[in-house]
PDB file of all heavy atoms in Angstrom:
ATOM      1  N   PRO A  85       0.814  -1.227   0.000  1.00 70.00           N
ATOM      2  CA  PRO A  85       0.000   0.000   0.000  1.00 70.00           C
ATOM      3  C   PRO A  85       0.843   1.271   0.000  1.00 70.00           C
ATOM      4  O   PRO A  85       0.502   2.250  -0.661  1.00 70.00           O
ATOM      5  CB  PRO A  85      -0.832  -0.134   1.280  1.00 70.00           C
ATOM      6  CG  PRO A  85      -0.914  -1.609   1.521  1.00 70.00           C
ATOM      7  CD  PRO A  85       0.388  -2.162   1.050  1.00 70.00           C
ATOM      8  N   ARG A  86       1.952   1.269   0.748  1.00 71.00           N
ATOM      9  CA  ARG A  86       2.815   2.453   0.773  1.00 71.00           C
ATOM     10  C   ARG A  86       3.443   2.692  -0.599  1.00 71.00           C
ATOM     11  O   ARG A  86       3.529   3.845  -1.063  1.00 71.00           O
ATOM     12  CB  ARG A  86       3.901   2.280   1.825  1.00 71.00           C
ATOM     13  CG  ARG A  86       4.893   3.449   1.874  1.00 71.00           C
ATOM     14  CD  ARG A  86       5.841   3.314   3.032  1.00 71.00           C
ATOM     15  NE  ARG A  86       5.153   3.414   4.309  1.00 71.00           N
ATOM     16  CZ  ARG A  86       5.780   3.386   5.501  1.00 71.00           C
ATOM     17  NH1 ARG A  86       7.095   3.250   5.551  1.00 71.00           N
ATOM     18  NH2 ARG A  86       5.085   3.475   6.611  1.00 71.00           N
ATOM     19  N   ALA A  87       3.867   1.610  -1.264  1.00 69.00           N
ATOM     20  CA  ALA A  87       4.464   1.758  -2.591  1.00 69.00           C
ATOM     21  C   ALA A  87       3.434   2.264  -3.596  1.00 69.00           C
ATOM     22  O   ALA A  87       3.757   3.072  -4.475  1.00 69.00           O
ATOM     23  CB  ALA A  87       5.044   0.422  -3.050  1.00 69.00           C
ATOM     24  N   ARG A  88       2.184   1.821  -3.447  1.00 67.00           N
ATOM     25  CA  ARG A  88       1.139   2.278  -4.365  1.00 67.00           C
ATOM     26  C   ARG A  88       0.933   3.783  -4.254  1.00 67.00           C
ATOM     27  O   ARG A  88       0.689   4.466  -5.245  1.00 67.00           O
ATOM     28  CB  ARG A  88      -0.177   1.557  -4.054  1.00 67.00           C
ATOM     29  CG  ARG A  88      -0.189   0.088  -4.442  1.00 67.00           C
ATOM     30  CD  ARG A  88      -1.587  -0.493  -4.307  1.00 67.00           C
ATOM     31  NE  ARG A  88      -1.563  -1.944  -4.349  1.00 67.00           N
ATOM     32  CZ  ARG A  88      -2.019  -2.722  -3.369  1.00 67.00           C
ATOM     33  NH1 ARG A  88      -2.535  -2.187  -2.285  1.00 67.00           N
ATOM     34  NH2 ARG A  88      -1.958  -4.030  -3.478  1.00 67.00           N
ATOM     35  N   GLN A  89       0.997   4.307  -3.046  1.00 70.00           N
ATOM     36  CA  GLN A  89       0.810   5.745  -2.861  1.00 70.00           C
ATOM     37  C   GLN A  89       1.915   6.536  -3.557  1.00 70.00           C
ATOM     38  O   GLN A  89       1.668   7.622  -4.082  1.00 70.00           O
ATOM     39  CB  GLN A  89       0.791   6.079  -1.363  1.00 70.00           C
ATOM     40  CG  GLN A  89      -0.437   5.538  -0.637  1.00 70.00           C
ATOM     41  CD  GLN A  89      -0.413   5.887   0.846  1.00 70.00           C
ATOM     42  OE1 GLN A  89       0.543   6.469   1.345  1.00 70.00           O
ATOM     43  NE2 GLN A  89      -1.486   5.521   1.553  1.00 70.00           N
ATOM     44  N   VAL A  90       3.125   5.982  -3.576  1.00 71.00           N
ATOM     45  CA  VAL A  90       4.259   6.683  -4.172  1.00 71.00           C
ATOM     46  C   VAL A  90       4.240   6.594  -5.694  1.00 71.00           C
ATOM     47  O   VAL A  90       4.441   7.593  -6.392  1.00 71.00           O
ATOM     48  CB  VAL A  90       5.592   6.118  -3.615  1.00 71.00           C
ATOM     49  CG1 VAL A  90       6.781   6.779  -4.318  1.00 71.00           C
ATOM     50  CG2 VAL A  90       5.668   6.316  -2.112  1.00 71.00           C
ATOM     51  N   VAL A  91       3.974   5.400  -6.213  1.00 77.00           N
ATOM     52  CA  VAL A  91       4.079   5.187  -7.664  1.00 77.00           C
ATOM     53  C   VAL A  91       2.717   5.223  -8.347  1.00 77.00           C
ATOM     54  O   VAL A  91       2.633   4.959  -9.545  1.00 77.00           O
ATOM     55  CB  VAL A  91       4.780   3.845  -7.967  1.00 77.00           C
ATOM     56  CG1 VAL A  91       6.141   3.779  -7.301  1.00 77.00           C
ATOM     57  CG2 VAL A  91       3.910   2.655  -7.507  1.00 77.00           C
ATOM     58  N   GLY A  92       1.655   5.559  -7.609  1.00 78.00           N
ATOM     59  CA  GLY A  92       0.298   5.526  -8.152  1.00 78.00           C
ATOM     60  C   GLY A  92       0.123   6.276  -9.454  1.00 78.00           C
ATOM     61  O   GLY A  92      -0.418   5.728 -10.434  1.00 78.00           O
ATOM     62  N   PRO A  93       0.556   7.536  -9.559  1.00 84.00           N
ATOM     63  CA  PRO A  93       0.361   8.280 -10.817  1.00 84.00           C
ATOM     64  C   PRO A  93       1.061   7.628 -12.011  1.00 84.00           C
ATOM     65  O   PRO A  93       0.489   7.552 -13.105  1.00 84.00           O
ATOM     66  CB  PRO A  93       0.960   9.654 -10.500  1.00 84.00           C
ATOM     67  CG  PRO A  93       0.846   9.782  -9.011  1.00 84.00           C
ATOM     68  CD  PRO A  93       1.060   8.405  -8.485  1.00 84.00           C
ATOM     69  N   GLU A  94       2.304   7.176 -11.797  1.00 85.00           N
ATOM     70  CA  GLU A  94       3.028   6.525 -12.895  1.00 85.00           C
ATOM     71  C   GLU A  94       2.355   5.215 -13.301  1.00 85.00           C
ATOM     72  O   GLU A  94       2.264   4.884 -14.497  1.00 85.00           O
ATOM     73  CB  GLU A  94       4.485   6.256 -12.488  1.00 85.00           C
ATOM     74  CG  GLU A  94       5.354   7.484 -12.389  1.00 85.00           C
ATOM     75  CD  GLU A  94       5.112   8.267 -11.107  1.00 85.00           C
ATOM     76  OE1 GLU A  94       4.451   7.700 -10.193  1.00 85.00           O
ATOM     77  OE2 GLU A  94       5.555   9.421 -11.017  1.00 85.00           O
ATOM     78  N   LEU A  95       1.868   4.465 -12.311  1.00 87.00           N
ATOM     79  CA  LEU A  95       1.212   3.195 -12.603  1.00 87.00           C
ATOM     80  C   LEU A  95      -0.103   3.426 -13.347  1.00 87.00           C
ATOM     81  O   LEU A  95      -0.441   2.698 -14.291  1.00 87.00           O
ATOM     82  CB  LEU A  95       0.961   2.425 -11.300  1.00 87.00           C
ATOM     83  CG  LEU A  95       0.416   0.996 -11.425  1.00 87.00           C
ATOM     84  CD1 LEU A  95       1.300   0.154 -12.327  1.00 87.00           C
ATOM     85  CD2 LEU A  95       0.300   0.353 -10.051  1.00 87.00           C
ATOM     86  N   ALA A  96      -0.854   4.458 -12.949  1.00 89.00           N
ATOM     87  CA  ALA A  96      -2.106   4.778 -13.642  1.00 89.00           C
ATOM     88  C   ALA A  96      -1.833   5.159 -15.097  1.00 89.00           C
ATOM     89  O   ALA A  96      -2.569   4.758 -16.003  1.00 89.00           O
ATOM     90  CB  ALA A  96      -2.825   5.917 -12.922  1.00 89.00           C
ATOM     91  N   ASP A  97      -0.759   5.939 -15.336  1.00 90.00           N
ATOM     92  CA  ASP A  97      -0.388   6.292 -16.713  1.00 90.00           C
ATOM     93  C   ASP A  97      -0.033   5.046 -17.523  1.00 90.00           C
ATOM     94  O   ASP A  97      -0.357   4.958 -18.711  1.00 90.00           O
ATOM     95  CB  ASP A  97       0.797   7.260 -16.708  1.00 90.00           C
ATOM     96  CG  ASP A  97       0.402   8.660 -16.265  1.00 90.00           C
ATOM     97  OD1 ASP A  97      -0.810   8.953 -16.273  1.00 90.00           O
ATOM     98  OD2 ASP A  97       1.296   9.451 -15.911  1.00 90.00           O
ATOM     99  N   ALA A  98       0.640   4.095 -16.874  1.00 89.00           N
ATOM    100  CA  ALA A  98       1.005   2.855 -17.568  1.00 89.00           C
ATOM    101  C   ALA A  98      -0.244   2.070 -17.966  1.00 89.00           C
ATOM    102  O   ALA A  98      -0.306   1.496 -19.064  1.00 89.00           O
ATOM    103  CB  ALA A  98       1.913   2.003 -16.675  1.00 89.00           C
ATOM    104  N   TYR A  99      -1.240   2.034 -17.087  1.00 91.00           N
ATOM    105  CA  TYR A  99      -2.501   1.381 -17.440  1.00 91.00           C
ATOM    106  C   TYR A  99      -3.154   2.080 -18.635  1.00 91.00           C
ATOM    107  O   TYR A  99      -3.704   1.426 -19.528  1.00 91.00           O
ATOM    108  CB  TYR A  99      -3.464   1.388 -16.250  1.00 91.00           C
ATOM    109  CG  TYR A  99      -3.251   0.257 -15.282  1.00 91.00           C
ATOM    110  CD1 TYR A  99      -2.599   0.466 -14.070  1.00 91.00           C
ATOM    111  CD2 TYR A  99      -3.703  -1.028 -15.565  1.00 91.00           C
ATOM    112  CE1 TYR A  99      -2.400  -0.561 -13.168  1.00 91.00           C
ATOM    113  CE2 TYR A  99      -3.504  -2.064 -14.672  1.00 91.00           C
ATOM    114  CZ  TYR A  99      -2.853  -1.830 -13.476  1.00 91.00           C
ATOM    115  OH  TYR A  99      -2.655  -2.860 -12.596  1.00 91.00           O
ATOM    116  N   GLY A 100      -3.103   3.409 -18.641  1.00 92.00           N
ATOM    117  CA  GLY A 100      -3.660   4.150 -19.765  1.00 92.00           C
ATOM    118  C   GLY A 100      -3.006   3.774 -21.078  1.00 92.00           C
ATOM    119  O   GLY A 100      -3.685   3.592 -22.101  1.00 92.00           O
ATOM    120  N   SER A 101      -1.682   3.619 -21.069  1.00 92.00           N
ATOM    121  CA  SER A 101      -0.968   3.217 -22.290  1.00 92.00           C
ATOM    122  C   SER A 101      -1.382   1.816 -22.731  1.00 92.00           C
ATOM    123  O   SER A 101      -1.545   1.546 -23.927  1.00 92.00           O
ATOM    124  CB  SER A 101       0.546   3.260 -22.044  1.00 92.00           C
ATOM    125  OG  SER A 101       0.970   4.571 -21.733  1.00 92.00           O
ATOM    126  N   ALA A 102      -1.532   0.909 -21.773  1.00 91.00           N
ATOM    127  CA  ALA A 102      -1.945  -0.453 -22.118  1.00 91.00           C
ATOM    128  C   ALA A 102      -3.348  -0.455 -22.720  1.00 91.00           C
ATOM    129  O   ALA A 102      -3.632  -1.213 -23.662  1.00 91.00           O
ATOM    130  CB  ALA A 102      -1.895  -1.338 -20.868  1.00 91.00           C
ATOM    131  N   PHE A 103      -4.224   0.387 -22.214  1.00 93.00           N
ATOM    132  CA  PHE A 103      -5.578   0.440 -22.768  1.00 93.00           C
ATOM    133  C   PHE A 103      -5.599   1.091 -24.155  1.00 93.00           C
ATOM    134  O   PHE A 103      -6.506   0.825 -24.944  1.00 93.00           O
ATOM    135  CB  PHE A 103      -6.518   1.165 -21.808  1.00 93.00           C
ATOM    136  CG  PHE A 103      -7.125   0.270 -20.767  1.00 93.00           C
ATOM    137  CD1 PHE A 103      -6.717   0.354 -19.443  1.00 93.00           C
ATOM    138  CD2 PHE A 103      -8.078  -0.678 -21.120  1.00 93.00           C
ATOM    139  CE1 PHE A 103      -7.264  -0.484 -18.483  1.00 93.00           C
ATOM    140  CE2 PHE A 103      -8.626  -1.514 -20.172  1.00 93.00           C
ATOM    141  CZ  PHE A 103      -8.221  -1.423 -18.843  1.00 93.00           C
ATOM    142  N   TRP A 104      -4.626   1.944 -24.466  1.00 94.00           N
ATOM    143  CA  TRP A 104      -4.520   2.439 -25.845  1.00 94.00           C
ATOM    144  C   TRP A 104      -4.251   1.288 -26.806  1.00 94.00           C
ATOM    145  O   TRP A 104      -4.774   1.248 -27.926  1.00 94.00           O
ATOM    146  CB  TRP A 104      -3.415   3.490 -25.953  1.00 94.00           C
ATOM    147  CG  TRP A 104      -3.841   4.897 -25.698  1.00 94.00           C
ATOM    148  CD1 TRP A 104      -3.394   5.735 -24.717  1.00 94.00           C
ATOM    149  CD2 TRP A 104      -4.822   5.644 -26.445  1.00 94.00           C
ATOM    150  NE1 TRP A 104      -4.034   6.948 -24.798  1.00 94.00           N
ATOM    151  CE2 TRP A 104      -4.906   6.928 -25.844  1.00 94.00           C
ATOM    152  CE3 TRP A 104      -5.624   5.358 -27.545  1.00 94.00           C
ATOM    153  CZ2 TRP A 104      -5.764   7.919 -26.323  1.00 94.00           C
ATOM    154  CZ3 TRP A 104      -6.482   6.349 -28.024  1.00 94.00           C
ATOM    155  CH2 TRP A 104      -6.551   7.603 -27.421  1.00 94.00           C
ATOM    156  N   VAL A 105      -3.414   0.337 -26.374  1.00 93.00           N
ATOM    157  CA  VAL A 105      -3.148  -0.847 -27.200  1.00 93.00           C
ATOM    158  C   VAL A 105      -4.425  -1.672 -27.349  1.00 93.00           C
ATOM    159  O   VAL A 105      -4.747  -2.155 -28.442  1.00 93.00           O
ATOM    160  CB  VAL A 105      -2.011  -1.689 -26.580  1.00 93.00           C
ATOM    161  CG1 VAL A 105      -1.803  -2.981 -27.366  1.00 93.00           C
ATOM    162  CG2 VAL A 105      -0.718  -0.887 -26.530  1.00 93.00           C
ATOM    163  N   ALA A 106      -5.167  -1.840 -26.254  1.00 92.00           N
ATOM    164  CA  ALA A 106      -6.442  -2.566 -26.319  1.00 92.00           C
ATOM    165  C   ALA A 106      -7.414  -1.850 -27.256  1.00 92.00           C
ATOM    166  O   ALA A 106      -8.153  -2.497 -28.015  1.00 92.00           O
ATOM    167  CB  ALA A 106      -7.047  -2.696 -24.923  1.00 92.00           C
ATOM    168  N   PHE A 107      -7.408  -0.538 -27.229  1.00 94.00           N
ATOM    169  CA  PHE A 107      -8.259   0.264 -28.112  1.00 94.00           C
ATOM    170  C   PHE A 107      -7.910  -0.009 -29.580  1.00 94.00           C
ATOM    171  O   PHE A 107      -8.798  -0.232 -30.418  1.00 94.00           O
ATOM    172  CB  PHE A 107      -8.061   1.746 -27.777  1.00 94.00           C
ATOM    173  CG  PHE A 107      -8.894   2.688 -28.601  1.00 94.00           C
ATOM    174  CD1 PHE A 107     -10.191   3.015 -28.237  1.00 94.00           C
ATOM    175  CD2 PHE A 107      -8.374   3.259 -29.759  1.00 94.00           C
ATOM    176  CE1 PHE A 107     -10.954   3.886 -28.998  1.00 94.00           C
ATOM    177  CE2 PHE A 107      -9.129   4.130 -30.532  1.00 94.00           C
ATOM    178  CZ  PHE A 107     -10.421   4.441 -30.147  1.00 94.00           C
ATOM    179  N   ALA A 108      -6.616  -0.013 -29.896  1.00 93.00           N
ATOM    180  CA  ALA A 108      -6.180  -0.251 -31.275  1.00 93.00           C
ATOM    181  C   ALA A 108      -6.497  -1.678 -31.725  1.00 93.00           C
ATOM    182  O   ALA A 108      -6.927  -1.898 -32.868  1.00 93.00           O
ATOM    183  CB  ALA A 108      -4.683   0.021 -31.397  1.00 93.00           C
ATOM    184  N   LEU A 109      -6.304  -2.649 -30.835  1.00 91.00           N
ATOM    185  CA  LEU A 109      -6.599  -4.039 -31.174  1.00 91.00           C
ATOM    186  C   LEU A 109      -8.093  -4.234 -31.418  1.00 91.00           C
ATOM    187  O   LEU A 109      -8.495  -5.022 -32.286  1.00 91.00           O
ATOM    188  CB  LEU A 109      -6.124  -4.963 -30.053  1.00 91.00           C
ATOM    189  CG  LEU A 109      -4.601  -5.090 -29.884  1.00 91.00           C
ATOM    190  CD1 LEU A 109      -4.268  -5.824 -28.601  1.00 91.00           C
ATOM    191  CD2 LEU A 109      -3.984  -5.805 -31.087  1.00 91.00           C
ATOM    192  N   THR A 110      -8.909  -3.521 -30.647  1.00 92.00           N
ATOM    193  CA  THR A 110     -10.359  -3.596 -30.851  1.00 92.00           C
ATOM    194  C   THR A 110     -10.739  -3.031 -32.215  1.00 92.00           C
ATOM    195  O   THR A 110     -11.595  -3.588 -32.915  1.00 92.00           O
ATOM    196  CB  THR A 110     -11.091  -2.824 -29.743  1.00 92.00           C
ATOM    197  OG1 THR A 110     -10.710  -3.343 -28.463  1.00 92.00           O
ATOM    198  CG2 THR A 110     -12.597  -2.950 -29.902  1.00 92.00           C
ATOM    199  N   ALA A 111     -10.086  -1.941 -32.613  1.00 94.00           N
ATOM    200  CA  ALA A 111     -10.379  -1.335 -33.916  1.00 94.00           C
ATOM    201  C   ALA A 111     -10.054  -2.288 -35.062  1.00 94.00           C
ATOM    202  O   ALA A 111     -10.713  -2.261 -36.116  1.00 94.00           O
ATOM    203  CB  ALA A 111      -9.594  -0.036 -34.075  1.00 94.00           C
ATOM    204  N   LEU A 112      -9.072  -3.165 -34.875  1.00 94.00           N
ATOM    205  CA  LEU A 112      -8.687  -4.110 -35.932  1.00 94.00           C
ATOM    206  C   LEU A 112      -9.801  -5.098 -36.269  1.00 94.00           C
ATOM    207  O   LEU A 112      -9.803  -5.686 -37.353  1.00 94.00           O
ATOM    208  CB  LEU A 112      -7.431  -4.885 -35.511  1.00 94.00           C
ATOM    209  CG  LEU A 112      -6.096  -4.140 -35.565  1.00 94.00           C
ATOM    210  CD1 LEU A 112      -4.971  -5.043 -35.071  1.00 94.00           C
ATOM    211  CD2 LEU A 112      -5.805  -3.659 -36.991  1.00 94.00           C
ATOM    212  N   ILE A 113     -10.751  -5.295 -35.344  1.00 94.00           N
ATOM    213  CA  ILE A 113     -11.849  -6.225 -35.600  1.00 94.00           C
ATOM    214  C   ILE A 113     -12.674  -5.768 -36.799  1.00 94.00           C
ATOM    215  O   ILE A 113     -13.335  -6.575 -37.466  1.00 94.00           O
ATOM    216  CB  ILE A 113     -12.742  -6.357 -34.350  1.00 94.00           C
ATOM    217  CG1 ILE A 113     -11.906  -6.816 -33.151  1.00 94.00           C
ATOM    218  CG2 ILE A 113     -13.883  -7.337 -34.571  1.00 94.00           C
ATOM    219  CD1 ILE A 113     -12.662  -6.800 -31.833  1.00 94.00           C
ATOM    220  N   LEU A 114     -12.619  -4.470 -37.109  1.00 94.00           N
ATOM    221  CA  LEU A 114     -13.371  -3.954 -38.256  1.00 94.00           C
ATOM    222  C   LEU A 114     -12.914  -4.577 -39.572  1.00 94.00           C
ATOM    223  O   LEU A 114     -13.700  -4.661 -40.526  1.00 94.00           O
ATOM    224  CB  LEU A 114     -13.234  -2.431 -38.339  1.00 94.00           C
ATOM    225  CG  LEU A 114     -13.946  -1.625 -37.242  1.00 94.00           C
ATOM    226  CD1 LEU A 114     -13.538  -0.168 -37.315  1.00 94.00           C
ATOM    227  CD2 LEU A 114     -15.452  -1.785 -37.377  1.00 94.00           C
ATOM    228  N   VAL A 115     -11.665  -5.033 -39.640  1.00 93.00           N
ATOM    229  CA  VAL A 115     -11.150  -5.612 -40.894  1.00 93.00           C
ATOM    230  C   VAL A 115     -11.887  -6.912 -41.236  1.00 93.00           C
ATOM    231  O   VAL A 115     -12.496  -7.017 -42.313  1.00 93.00           O
ATOM    232  CB  VAL A 115      -9.629  -5.836 -40.808  1.00 93.00           C
ATOM    233  CG1 VAL A 115      -9.120  -6.509 -42.082  1.00 93.00           C
ATOM    234  CG2 VAL A 115      -8.909  -4.503 -40.596  1.00 93.00           C
ATOM    235  N   PRO A 116     -11.881  -7.941 -40.366  1.00 92.00           N
ATOM    236  CA  PRO A 116     -12.657  -9.146 -40.718  1.00 92.00           C
ATOM    237  C   PRO A 116     -14.167  -8.886 -40.702  1.00 92.00           C
ATOM    238  O   PRO A 116     -14.912  -9.590 -41.392  1.00 92.00           O
ATOM    239  CB  PRO A 116     -12.259 -10.160 -39.647  1.00 92.00           C
ATOM    240  CG  PRO A 116     -11.784  -9.344 -38.502  1.00 92.00           C
ATOM    241  CD  PRO A 116     -11.138  -8.140 -39.110  1.00 92.00           C
ATOM    242  N   ALA A 117     -14.624  -7.895 -39.925  1.00 91.00           N
ATOM    243  CA  ALA A 117     -16.066  -7.598 -39.882  1.00 91.00           C
ATOM    244  C   ALA A 117     -16.587  -7.193 -41.255  1.00 91.00           C
ATOM    245  O   ALA A 117     -17.757  -7.411 -41.575  1.00 91.00           O
ATOM    246  CB  ALA A 117     -16.348  -6.500 -38.865  1.00 91.00           C
TER     247      ALA A 117
END
């Protein structure tokens, strides 16, 4: 919990970047669709 308080903003940004990849992968479904 103490480490989360310190690195929380950086970790949240990292999740945001990972979801950008999920967003792009979801868009690819339009090709076979």
Side-chain angles (χ1 to χ4, degrees):
R86 177 173 295 183
R88 289 189 194 121
Q89 292 180 356
V90 176
V91 304
E94 289 78 13
L95 187 54
D97 287 343
Y99 276 103
S101 298
F103 273 108
W104 271 119
V105 175
F107 181 86
L109 291 170
T110 303
L112 285 178
I113 303 172
L114 290 171
V115 177

